[in-house]
Structure formats: structure tokens, C-alpha cells
Amino acid sequence: MGKKIMLGILWTIAVVLFVFWALGLALHIAGNLIHIFLLLAIAIAIYNFLKSRTAF
């Protein structure tokens, strides 16, 4: 149950960051900051995905 909640939280964060990234790209809001956050979120998601696969 805990992993399911964490996965939901990660997906929510990913969607919110994607929306902010799209707004920043289209409207030039927040400059490069949102792109850095998006790359950081993707890196963390990939790390967690690979970490969870090696746990089994």
C-alpha cells in the first residue's frame, strides 16, 4: 500500500512539473529554472525506477 501511495505522489509531481515546464516553454515564465527542476525530477524518477527493479 505504501508503494502505491508513493507512486501516486511521484506521478502527481511529474504531471505538475510537466505542466509548469510547458507553461514556461510557451510563456517564458521562470526562465531556465523550471527546466532544471524538470531534469532533476526525471533523474530522480529514473533512479527510483532502477532502484525498485533491483530490489526484487
Side-chain angles (χ1 to χ4, degrees):
M1 185 75 168
K3 284 189 176 188
K4 192 177 259 189
I5 292 173
M6 182 59 80
L7 186 62
I9 291 170
L10 287 174
W11 272 109
T12 302
I13 291 170
V15 168
V16 168
L17 284 174
F18 180 78
V19 168
F20 285 151
W21 172 77
L23 286 173
L25 189 64
L27 303 174
H28 303 289
I29 299 172
N32 291 328
L33 185 63
I34 196 66
H35 299 285
I36 293 169
F37 284 141
L38 180 65
L39 291 175
L40 184 64
I42 291 171
I44 290 171
I46 291 172
Y47 173 76
N48 285 333
F49 178 72
L50 294 175
K51 185 178 172 188
S52 69
R53 288 188 58 144
T54 58
F56 296 111

